[in-house]
Amino acid sequence: MTSAKLVSLHRRESGGEDTLWAVVASMGKRHRVAEVFRSHAAAAADMAWRTQQVQAYVDFLRRNEQPVPHYSLAPIKRTDLPRQWKPLPALGFLRGQFI
């Protein structure tokens, strides 16, 4: 019975291995994949954390006439990520590292 469960899990992992969940950061018309996760729940938790971090600085950004980044979730295939892609720090936009 245990080996049947292992085979079943292996099949699920290999079938969805190529599809990931991306947390997408948007500022105006520019979009960037901030982070990728294997599960929707992990991506949603990261998006909520990033949104909370941005909200802490929203007044600062508006006073300095800077766009406020917004985060969303999207399914993405591993092959759709750029070759040099690196995760985006949640507050990287404060250091000019958004794009």
Side-chain angles (χ1 to χ4, degrees):
M1 184 182 263
T2 304
S3 63
K5 287 184 180 180
L6 290 175
V7 171
S8 177
L9 289 174
H10 182 351
R11 286 182 185 156
R12 272 189 244 145
E13 288 177 359
S14 65
E17 185 176 308
D18 193 39
T19 301
L20 303 169
W21 284 96
V23 178
V24 179
S26 303
M27 287 178 78
K29 294 181 181 181
R30 301 189 89 168
H31 307 282
R32 180 171 171 198
V33 174
E35 186 62 270
V36 292
F37 295 92
R38 290 182 188 227
S39 75
H40 184 273
D46 184 73
M47 182 185 77
W49 176 78
R50 288 173 183 274
T51 300
Q52 184 266 330
Q53 295 295 306
V54 168
Q55 288 303 312
Y57 287 91
V58 75
D59 290 333
F60 170 79
L61 292 170
R62 289 187 178 142
R63 279 194 313 265
N64 289 294
E65 299 177 2
Q66 297 295 317
V68 177
H70 297 278
Y71 294 98
S72 60
L73 296 180
I76 188 171
K77 292 190 182 267
R78 188 177 306 274
T79 57
D80 292 338
L81 286 172
R83 286 183 184 245
Q84 300 296 323
W85 177 82
K86 293 181 183 175
L88 176 68
L91 298 177
F93 61 87
L94 292 176
R95 293 178 281 149
Q97 296 179 352
F98 181 72
I99 301 226

